[in-house]
Structure formats: structure tokens, C-alpha cells
Amino acid sequence: MVNANREENINFPKKGHTNNWAVLVDTSRFWFNYRHVANVLSIYRSVKRLGIPDSQIILMIADDMACNPRNPRPATVFNNANQHINVYGDDVEVDYRGYEVTVENFVRLLTGRLPPGTPRSKQLLTDEGSNVLVYLTGHGGDGFFEISRLRRNYQSRNGRCVRADVAETKVIIKINKKGAKYHETFFMIDTCQAASMYERFYSPNILAVGSSLVGEDSLSHHVDPAIGVYIIDRYTYYALDFLEKVDPQSNRTMGEFLKVCPKSVCISTVGVRRDLFRRNPDHVPITDFFGSVRPINLLGNVTLQLINIGEPETTVFESHKPKKYRYIPPLVNFNTLKT
Amino acid sequence: EKEADYRIYSVLSYFVVLVIIGFPVWWYTTRVYRANLPIDEMYKGVYSNRANKEFGIPLSLEYDILVSFVHPDPASLTIDVSGREIDRNLQPFLKILSSVTNFIVKSQWLYLTDLGVFPQKILDHYALRENQLPHIISPLETKLWSHLSPRPTLNLVVYFPQCSTPLYIYNDKNEQVKTNAFLSPTWGGIYIVNPDNSSCEAKVFQPNIQQIVSTFVTQLQHLFKMSGLSEDNVRELKIKKAEEMLDSTRRTLKSLAQLLSEINSIVISDEVGEKISIAVENADQAETFLKNGDVDNGLRHAKVAFSHSEEAFSDPSLLALLYFPQDQKYAVYIPLFLPIMIPVFMSLTLVKKWHASHRLKRLKVD
């Protein structure tokens, strides 16, 4: 029985995407890289607040700052010296932690070629309607960003995620786009010489922003004297400032977000790559990438089904048969024996 | 004199082993292994225009159906409904779809959980506006644990509001929605069941199972985009799903072929090669069956093709050479072999000189 006003009740998704995913990666370890963890947790918090559920966020953090023995405020991570917000919170879900943050896992995650048996929370299960936000933070250089610096004063070669790798990952994702793995992607990179990371993209529908151009370093914002390290980077600080004023019903645009850190405050120049992006960022609402609203249809008519309410189910499970007991006569009582 | 000959033979033998035998062996063993693939077959195929397609549930051969009962106030009201009962009554509908996909039904209870939006009070009941509905799903989903299984999940939620706040859904035009239910095309559906006054007084509520099951069936129908439950509708669904699977298979295979031509370091092992061949074969067979109108066989082959193509494309062994890119191969081997090759090639000049003097000697003798 078809509902006559079904057509009226259906709201086709107007945006063209149906779900949102976020991949947030922090690649550096050790206590003095506290700010990178604070960066990624701040973005995580914003993205969650704007509506993306945990099941669609992949959070990769390379080291534990909240429970680090050097943390004077254990179980907290702050992104501001006045310590208003504990970005660690009590509902953070880290999917890849510590030594699991490696180049291989990152590439396998993005290309979807994880070994069978990987838990669903560690997989990126995007489809053709997904908008993906990718945020990378850490140390970087011309053509690479460093994942898991193994030793402090010696840069290990194995950790580098060479730009060609990432570009090839992007090729794989492009082909995945033909096989329908994402709708649009927004790439945010907050490392030194960030622009070199997105130079070699050639997949369609990618918008990329980096906190500094090739040859420039991204700088950190301020020190918290109580904790003793720099606690946030400049670009992320101002990006967060912008995002904190956005709520799920807001109509701020991506164009505004791309201008969020002018050279006067950021010192490094923010680089943007928009030639691969089909739409004009000034007309794209920020909730397209940072938030998540589901399309809904109201149910019109319900056809009544024939049901049968049966007797309570006989239990399906077989109970164990009890062990068979038999009578065993008592031992001979020697006291009563007649000699 | 003889020693000179032996020296020459030794240089020549080094040359033969290193260059003539060694070089091809090295090349053969360090190439990227690719099993034979029907590349031409992978490129062909007719693709539907996807730009206008409305989005729906992800395409898969198996789904989990998670029935969740959300009860915010268990202290004041006992609700007597069993997940097994609902499952048993859903089975007839699920059996109709069993040739297309398999279903695994699970159920759970969520206590002390609210909807997270604030309804508006209207006279004696509360109203949820249509524009508030999308904001119910995300907070609810964090508690549902629907992301634990390897199959995509269809969520069917029943919410029992508290006795004091009966809840009804109002649409854009401010009319009350009779069914009190809504669905999200990619996620699942939510149905709000208000306990009636007599049950509230008695503190026990037995919801109408028929109503719940019927609502679920209708929601599932909408999720699968079926307009009814008749034979024709089912046949239509089978054809649609078979075509979707075929389309997806062709796209995946074409993407893989393009990837292989663009990136040199992707390995195709024998198992993956076999899966691809099976996928191609079955896709062709499915197409022929569908053209001839044999829907069941077409669907069967389409399912095989779909599952094999997905497995082949997302096989982890494709990235086996992730840390060994082609351009760095030379950087690894040159420092090993170049120092060895230098004396060998330099000795070849010796051979040339010897050969020249040998010929001269022979000429002289002759």
C-alpha cells in the first residue's frame, strides 16, 4: 500500500553528502611536543561538538600527555594558558595510540587496506557520500611530515612519510573516489612547510590548507608556565578561536575559515589549495566538513503486518545433562569388625 | 703464457656470472610481482550516471539489524516487550529479502537515556518539530554500539517517553504525524511509543507488538527503497540490487586497473589475481542473465562478483611494497654492486688487449 503523500515527506539531502568523517592525526612524541597533542585534541573536541559521532572519527595520537608523569595536572590536556577547557575530557576515544601511529597504518587506513579482523573503530568506512576532514599535525619539512620520531636528536629515516607516499595515497583515494570512497575532502596540515604536503595532490574534490608555505616554519603560540611547555600552535589556536564560535546551526562558510590566520598573527603564511575543489569555498558551509547533520524522512503510512504472538520461546540452548550419580557403599568400618 | 690465458678465462667467467646471469636474476627477483590479469576486461563496462542517485544504505551482502529499546525512566514504569518476540515477527519480512541480503537481528535495552532535544509543550502533550529530529540521532548513536560488528548496521530504535511527558512528532506544516516515527536513509529509524494512562497507573506497559513490528517493516521498506511487499516489488528490488552490485563491481575493477597503470609499486598476488578473474567472469555471466530476464541467477552471480571484487580491491597485500618504492630500489642496490662491477669492467680492457695480441700472434704464425 503506497503512501500517497510519500513524495512530499521525503527531504532529499540538499548538500550532496550524507555523512561526515574525520581523520585527526598527531604524529609527534615526547613531552616537549605537548602542543601537537593539544592541537589535535582541540580539533577533535570541536568536531565532536559540531556533531560528528565518535564512530566516524579516527583519532591517532602518538604519545600520552594526559597521563605523562611530567604532567602537573594529570588526566588533563589544556590548549590555553588560562586552562579554561580540558580538551582531554572524559569521553575521548583514541583509535590509534602510541606506537600504533605509523606510516604504514596511516597509509593503510586512508586506502582501506587494513588486515582482515581490524576492529571497525579503526577503519575508515567512507562511501560515496562522505565528506572527510583530514587534520595532520606534528613536525614536518619540505616534502614530508614526520611520524613517530624515534629518537630525540636524531631523525630516523623510517618515520618519514614521504610526500610521494602521501601523493600516492591521494591517487589511491582518487581511484577510490571512482570506486566511490569519498565525496569531498578537506585537508588541514599544521606542521612546518606544510604547503609542500599538498603540492602533489591531483585527485578531484580536495580542498587543502596548510599553516605555512614551503621554506617557512609554523610557530607555536604561547607557553604555559604552570605546565612548562608550549601548549598550542598558532594556526590551530586561531582556527579554534573561529570554531568555538560556530554551532551546528551556524552559516559560516569555508571561505571565512580559510582566511582565519592572517600573516600578522600567524607569522607564517597560510597556504590554500583550491584548484581541485569543484565548489567555491565561499559558498560552502563550514558544517559540511566539521559538523554532521543527518537527512531525515518522516514516515507516512504504516501498513499493518500480520504477526503472531506465540507461546514464550522454548529455550534454544541445551542444558547440560547432569552427571550420573551412583551409590557407593561406605568404607568398611574397622571398629566394628570382629577379629 | 698459460697463466695469462687462465687469467683471461677468469675475467670472462666473472663477467658472465655477474652481468649475463646475475643481472637478469636480480631484475627478475626485485620486480613488482603481478599475477596475470584480464586488464581489458576490467576496463570495459557500462556505468550508470551517479550524479542524480539518492543516497541510501551502504551496499553489502549482509546487514545487522539492531533493535534498541530506549527507556529513560525504568524506576517508574516497567515495559514488557521482548526482543525475541520482535525478531520472530520480523523474520517473515526478512525471509522475503533473504535472496538479496542476509540479516542478523540483535536487540538491546538502553536505560536512563534521553533524546537530547527539548520538545515544546502544546496543551496536554509535548511536540517534537521536524527540524529538531536530525539532532536526535548523533547523541543517541554514541550509546548504541552499532559500530562493533563487521557488517553495516541498520538501527531500529523504539523510544518510550516518560508517563508525564507524552511526545508526538509534528511536521513542517504543524500537523501531528500519525505514525510518530521517522527514519534517516543511511542510518535507520526511530519510533516513539507513548505509554497510555491506564498502563501508567498500573506501572506496567505492554506496547502493541503489531504496531512496533509494522512500523519497523515499513521503515525497512523505505530503507531498501521498496514501494511494497508484493512479488513484483521484490523482483524489482532484486533487479535493482543486482544492477547496483554489477555497477559497483565494474567501477572497482576499473579503478584497480587504473591504479595499476599509474602506480608501479602495487603487488598483485596470485590469490588476488584469481579473485579478480572470478569477479570478471561472474560479472559477465550476471549481465547475460539479467539481459535474458533471469533475475535469480543474475543476482546470484552479481553477488559473487561483488564480494570478490571488493575483497580483491581492499586486500592488504596490495601494499606489500609500501616501504620499497621503485625509485629507491636503485639507491639500495647500486652501492652493493657498483664496487664489484668496477674491477670486472676494468679487466675487460685486459681481455681486449689479450684478444688483440692473440690475433696478432695467430696472424704471425699463419
Side-chain angles (χ1 to χ4, degrees):
Chain A
M1 200 163 69
V2 181
N3 176 15
N5 20 341
R6 181 177 177 228
E7 307 310 317
E8 279 181 275
N9 278 340
I10 289 185
N11 318 316
F12 287 123
K14 298 178 189 74
K15 297 187 182 78
H17 73 280
T18 49
N19 52 51
N20 285 71
W21 283 77
V23 178
L24 310 172
V25 183
D26 152 60
T27 58
S28 37
R29 250 185 228 144
F30 305 124
W31 176 245
F32 56 80
N33 290 322
Y34 183 101
R35 60 189 186 282
H36 296 139
V37 175
N39 282 355
V40 76
L41 284 174
S42 316
I43 300 281
Y44 171 76
R45 201 181 149 269
S46 304
V47 142
K48 250 175 85 152
R49 188 175 54 86
L50 293 174
I52 303 188
D54 264 315
S55 54
Q56 290 172 209
I57 303 179
I58 308 272
L59 182 60
M60 301 173 74
I61 299 189
D63 201 0
D64 187 4
M65 297 302 164
C67 301
N68 194 308
R70 288 165 84 164
N71 191 346
R73 314 249 183 288
T76 62
V77 173
F78 294 108
N79 64 356
N80 202 313
N82 45 22
Q83 297 184 1
H84 282 159
I85 324 165
N86 170 14
V87 287
Y88 201 65
D90 50 6
D91 59 347
V92 61
E93 272 185 32
V94 183
D95 300 301
Y96 285 86
R97 60 185 59 131
Y99 289 106
E100 290 171 359
V101 179
T102 60
V103 174
E104 179 175 355
N105 281 349
F106 181 60
V107 176
R108 281 189 187 275
L109 172 79
L110 284 184
T111 55
R113 296 205 175 96
L114 289 158
T118 312
R120 214 162 156 83
S121 58
K122 281 188 161 156
Q123 291 181 31
L124 191 62
L125 299 163
T126 54
D127 55 39
E128 70 255 25
S130 311
N131 274 7
V132 187
L133 166 73
V134 182
Y135 176 78
L136 306 170
T137 183
H139 291 286
D142 187 3
F144 66 94
F145 68 93
E146 217 165 306
I147 292 194
S148 316
R149 211 168 170 191
L150 290 180
R151 267 168 266 171
R152 251 190 247 192
N153 299 318
Y154 168 73
Q155 289 192 347
S156 158
R157 203 202 146 86
N158 292 339
R160 290 189 190 174
C161 189
V162 179
R163 166 180 59 189
D165 275 355
V166 181
E168 285 180 350
T169 308
K170 289 298 151 255
V171 176
I172 296 179
I173 292 188
K174 165 204 183 184
I175 307 294
N176 279 352
K177 155 92 176 166
K178 296 236 172 84
K181 286 293 186 219
Y182 71 90
H183 184 242
E184 287 168 347
T185 299
F186 180 52
F187 224 83
M188 264 174 83
I189 312 177
D190 189 356
T191 66
C192 301
Q193 310 197 39
S196 61
M197 288 308 295
Y198 57 66
E199 271 170 11
R200 280 171 62 160
F201 288 170
Y202 52 97
S203 319
N205 287 338
I206 294 190
L207 182 63
V209 64
S211 62
S212 54
L213 297 176
V214 177
E216 288 179 352
D217 287 334
S218 290
L219 300 170
S220 41
H221 195 249
H222 62 272
V223 172
D224 180 353
I227 296 182
V229 282
Y230 281 94
I231 56 174
I232 191 151
D233 280 338
R234 282 177 188 259
Y235 180 70
T236 309
Y237 179 81
Y238 290 103
L240 233 66
D241 208 25
F242 182 87
L243 287 175
E244 283 290 315
K245 303 190 187 94
V246 171
D247 58 24
Q249 281 89 17
S250 140
N251 54 1
R252 310 294 290 274
T253 65
M254 287 304 289
E256 293 174 44
F257 186 73
L258 292 176
K259 298 194 193 74
V260 84
C261 197
K263 197 169 162 90
S264 49
V265 285
C266 243
I267 303 182
S268 56
T269 327
V270 170
V272 178
R273 179 138 187 220
R274 58 185 89 198
D275 58 322
L276 294 169
F277 194 61
R278 201 172 16 109
R279 304 191 277 164
N280 182 353
D282 292 323
H283 299 150
V284 177
I286 197 156
T287 47
D288 262 14
F289 288 106
F290 284 91
S292 171
V293 175
R294 318 263 182 156
I296 57 136
N297 305 340
L298 290 173
L299 210 60
N301 271 352
V302 168
T303 1
L304 285 183
Q305 305 290 322
L306 289 172
I307 65 161
N308 97 69
I309 307 205
E311 320 75 46
E313 284 258 319
T314 49
T315 150
V316 187
F317 310 108
E318 272 182 6
S319 47
H320 295 288
K321 292 200 170 50
K323 282 202 293 223
K324 290 254 193 262
Y325 294 103
R326 64 187 171 87
Y327 177 70
I328 299 181
L331 288 174
V332 177
N333 187 346
F334 289 105
N335 292 338
T336 57
L337 267 184
K338 292 244 171 33
T339 46
Chain B
E1 263 310 307
K2 254 199 159 176
E3 263 188 34
D5 284 344
Y6 283 135
R7 242 181 284 144
I8 301 301
Y9 291 149
S10 134
V11 168
L12 279 176
S13 63
Y14 263 102
F15 181 76
V16 163
V17 168
L18 275 177
V19 179
I20 301 185
I21 300 182
F23 190 76
V25 168
W26 166 79
W27 186 260
Y28 185 73
T29 49
T30 55
R31 80 193 191 313
V32 177
Y33 179 71
R34 290 217 178 143
N36 282 332
L37 287 181
I39 297 276
D40 296 323
E41 311 276 316
M42 286 162 72
Y43 269 112
K44 74 166 190 201
V46 187
Y47 308 103
S48 57
N49 181 8
R50 285 186 131 178
N52 305 329
K53 199 168 82 92
E54 28 173 283
F55 298 114
I57 48 180
L59 185 62
S60 162
L61 295 176
E62 285 188 320
Y63 292 97
D64 271 347
I65 294 185
L66 180 60
V67 178
S68 310
F69 300 104
V70 181
H71 187 21
D73 194 8
S76 51
L77 184 66
T78 323
I79 299 192
D80 182 18
V81 67
S82 123
R84 283 243 174 86
E85 202 59 56
I86 308 269
D87 178 19
R88 231 157 28 91
N89 287 299
L90 275 179
Q91 288 304 328
F93 171 71
L94 299 180
K95 275 205 187 38
I96 298 179
L97 296 184
S98 60
S99 56
V100 181
T101 47
N102 282 334
F103 292 97
I104 296 177
V105 183
K106 309 182 204 170
S107 71
Q108 65 175 355
W109 279 86
L110 284 176
Y111 293 112
L112 301 171
T113 308
D114 269 320
L115 280 186
V117 286
F118 298 110
Q120 196 190 9
K121 189 166 167 78
I122 295 185
L123 301 176
D124 61 341
H125 58 265
Y126 287 79
L128 268 183
R129 303 280 163 198
E130 195 177 333
N131 57 1
Q132 288 178 297
L133 296 178
H135 300 283
I136 296 181
I137 299 182
S138 293
L140 198 54
E141 199 184 16
T142 56
K143 304 195 166 73
L144 282 185
W145 295 103
S146 52
H147 49 279
L148 277 188
S149 78
R151 298 163 286 267
T153 309
L154 303 173
N155 294 289
L156 298 171
V157 177
V158 185
Y159 181 73
F160 300 102
Q162 294 178 339
C163 277
S164 48
T165 60
L167 208 55
Y168 292 96
I169 301 181
Y170 279 68
N171 64 10
D172 276 341
K173 308 191 190 75
N174 235 336
E175 300 156 9
Q176 186 174 341
V177 175
K178 278 187 275 118
T179 55
N180 228 13
F182 67 97
L183 62 97
S184 175
T186 50
W187 181 80
I190 298 188
Y191 175 36
I192 301 183
V193 176
N194 293 302
D196 54 319
N197 286 333
S198 50
S199 305
C200 283
E201 279 163 33
K203 299 230 180 216
V204 176
F205 176 44
Q206 248 191 350
N208 184 342
I209 300 270
Q210 191 186 28
Q211 200 61 35
I212 296 183
V213 171
S214 311
T215 311
F216 282 171
V217 168
T218 317
Q219 283 174 332
L220 285 173
Q221 257 181 266
H222 281 257
L223 285 174
F224 280 96
K225 302 205 173 59
M226 294 170 74
S227 32
L229 285 180
S230 62
E231 280 280 325
D232 281 334
N233 291 124
V234 177
R235 194 189 140 87
E236 210 185 292
L237 177 72
K238 284 187 194 174
I239 295 180
K240 201 156 60 96
K241 283 290 171 187
E243 280 171 7
E244 273 178 31
M245 286 187 203
L246 263 181
D247 193 49
S248 166
T249 309
R250 294 268 183 230
R251 275 171 202 274
T252 311
L253 290 175
K254 180 165 175 213
S255 309
L256 189 55
Q258 274 179 318
L259 247 190
L260 288 174
S261 67
E262 286 182 22
I263 300 184
N264 293 331
S265 54
I266 295 192
V267 176
I268 303 282
S269 61
D270 285 327
E271 294 103 33
V272 175
E274 213 187 294
K275 285 190 188 148
I276 295 178
S277 315
I278 295 180
V280 169
E281 233 180 83
N282 277 286
D284 287 332
Q285 282 177 327
E287 249 176 32
T288 13
F289 277 124
L290 283 178
K291 252 194 232 135
N292 299 339
D294 185 353
V295 179
D296 289 315
N297 274 325
L299 183 63
R300 201 159 46 87
H301 286 279
K303 280 164 83 165
V304 172
F306 176 66
S307 66
H308 281 268
S309 69
E310 288 288 318
E311 276 171 38
F313 190 76
S314 53
D315 195 282
S317 70
L318 261 66
L319 291 180
L321 287 184
L322 182 61
Y323 283 116
F324 196 59
Q326 284 287 84
D327 51 339
Q328 294 185 6
K329 184 167 74 165
Y330 301 110
V332 171
Y333 283 105
I334 286 183
L336 285 178
F337 289 131
L338 196 62
I340 300 179
M341 296 297 211
I342 293 179
V344 171
F345 280 116
M346 303 274 275
S347 324
L348 282 181
T349 54
L350 226 108
V351 173
K352 217 166 69 140
K353 265 195 249 157
W354 171 86
H355 188 73
S357 75
H358 198 77
R359 276 172 98 222
L360 218 55
K361 241 198 279 179
R362 277 233 252 129
L363 282 173
K364 268 206 209 141
V365 168
D366 294 337

